[in-house]
Amino acid sequence: MEQYISIILAAGKGTRMKSRLPKVLHKVCGRPMLAHVIRAASEAGVPKNIVIIGHEAETVRQTIGPEVEWVYQSEQLGTGHAVMQAEPLLADFEGQVLVLCGDIPLITPNTLTQLMQTHTSSGNAVTVLTALMDDPTGYGRIVRGTKGRVHDIVEHKDASAAQLKINEINTGIYCFEGRKLFAGLQKITHANAQGEYYLTDVLSILKKNRGIIGAVQVRDPDETMGINDRVQLAKAEKILLQRVLKQLMIDGVTIINPQNTYIEAGVVIGPDSIVYPGTIIEGKCVLGDNCLIGPYTRLKDVSTGDNVTIQNSVVLESSVRDNVTIGPFAYIRPGTVLGDGVKVGDFVEIKKSVIGKGSKVPHLSYVGDAQIGERVNVGAGTITCNYDGSKKSLTIIGNQAFIGSNTNLVAPVEVGADAVIGAGSTVTKSVPEGALCVERSKQMIYLGWTARKNKEK
Ligand code: UD1
Ligand code: CA
């Protein structure tokens, strides 16, 4: 493909979002709108993307990061003015320019590839992506001549009554021959209904100079839907979610009820895994093969091995190896690593702890800031007392130790390998390897006590 760059317009305020967050940073399936657009351009093979920012520029730049080039537009004087801002970066550029907006998160690499291929093979001065809309209100209209060639784009506010009836619209996505684009931009004015420098005015200038205006009609107009308010944001979310779920199903994941399953873009799930209803999988999750996830489970930034079961639980920023079972009703907090075959059962909270291969925390426990070895059994109700009111301390438990039910491990404390802790102990001093530790008061027995008590009544 001939050399391409993209210019992505994202300087506008997005007033209708009624938000302190810049519009293009609102997320769709977990990813800022602008990031979706950049990704689509990159996946379509565009090696360099230039983003025009203005409103809340610094926030936008910081959120998206250094993967693109940033150009600052200090005043938003129109789409033509916005594109002009990129010119200094492209002094020696001889290639083609793909123009996009930052608020069209549903655009696919496929459509962009098709547009670029048509543009390159036809030798058009500009090729515009158009869409047929039932309700074209607000959009620029595509004005075609008798032979069907595109003559011009007329903005809604500048259109005649006849032009307002046209339902083929400008999606705001185009390919331009770079040199001609910037030459044309020199000539546009702001003599129009909105007093703006319109990028669309470049088209009639190119045409006057005998350049050809080509057009590609997008097959699915949803792809070019611009997001202006939160109602449209929700609509985009729904469409993208369906795409994400469909792709996972095609790749071999069973999703029992896609209508109540939320999985963000970029989540990876291995084949033969089953996602039960009510499940939310967010962020950078990479799940293995043959896992059972849900029902009613939330995973965020979690990686798992294969054959993992997670039921009715919340797992955040943690890593889980093969054959682990979690839940129901477990809460795994950030920084946790669960080794092969670990079992975390019901009503267990684990925070920032490493639990070794084959160890079990089956019921009603809190394990925080702990390093637990392999094949350890942590009895029901065991608590690591990791916080003394001012600082957090570590609990270390060696391989094959047996922690009796209702043990309090007052950190910092260490239990050696093969040690046994009697049920109900409050352990404040470290327990040597292989030792038995019992910390509880002696049990007293008073024979016949109940009968005596009843006689006194
Ligand atoms: C534009 C097109 C219209 C098309 C529509 C598709 C023009 C003149 N009109 O209209 O034909 O149907 O998009 O959605 O181009 N922006 C900047 N800097 C500016 C102005 C705008 O970065 O100075 C950005 C905005 O943030 C936005 C995009 O450009 O992302 C489009 O601008 P907007 O004013 O919304 O254009 P429309 O009026 O929708
Ligand atoms: Ca406008």
Side-chain angles (χ1 to χ4, degrees), residues 9-12 73 76-79 82 101 103 139-140 153 155 170-172 174 198 200:
L9 309 187
Q73 183 192 25
Q76 281 78 65
L77 302 179
T79 49
C101 292
D103 61 355
Y139 289 99
I153 297 175
E155 289 307 292
N170 169 25
T171 62
Y174 331 70
Y198 289 167
T200 45

Side-chain angles (χ1 to χ4, degrees), residues 222-266:
D222 280 346
E223 273 195 40
T224 56
M225 180 178 135
I227 310 303
N228 296 308
D229 58 36
R230 297 191 202 227
V231 176
Q232 291 169 324
L233 185 69
K235 193 176 166 201
E237 180 83 47
K238 189 173 172 191
I239 294 168
L240 196 61
L241 177 59
Q242 277 163 358
R243 274 195 214 160
V244 169
L245 297 177
K246 187 175 168 192
Q247 191 58 51
L248 286 166
M249 292 187 268
I250 288 169
D251 292 343
V253 178
T254 295
I255 297 174
I256 307 267
N257 185 358
Q259 273 70 50
N260 73 353
T261 303
Y262 175 76
I263 301 181
E264 289 186 348

Side-chain angles (χ1 to χ4, degrees), residues 85-101:
Q85 309 307 304
E87 194 178 7
L89 257 69
L90 299 169
D92 305 317
F93 182 69
E94 298 282 348
Q96 310 298 320
V97 178
L98 171 67
V99 175
L100 295 159
C101 292

Side-chain angles (χ1 to χ4, degrees), residues 174-190:
Y174 331 70
C175 289
F176 287 92
E177 199 185 313
R179 299 240 148 219
K180 290 183 180 162
L181 167 64
F182 291 108
L185 283 169
Q186 301 289 328
K187 297 185 189 144
I188 62 172
T189 69
H190 55 79

Side-chain angles (χ1 to χ4, degrees), residues 143-155:
V143 181
R144 289 184 187 256
T146 44
K147 287 181 189 154
R149 282 200 175 278
V150 177
H151 280 194
D152 201 1
I153 297 175
V154 178
E155 289 307 292

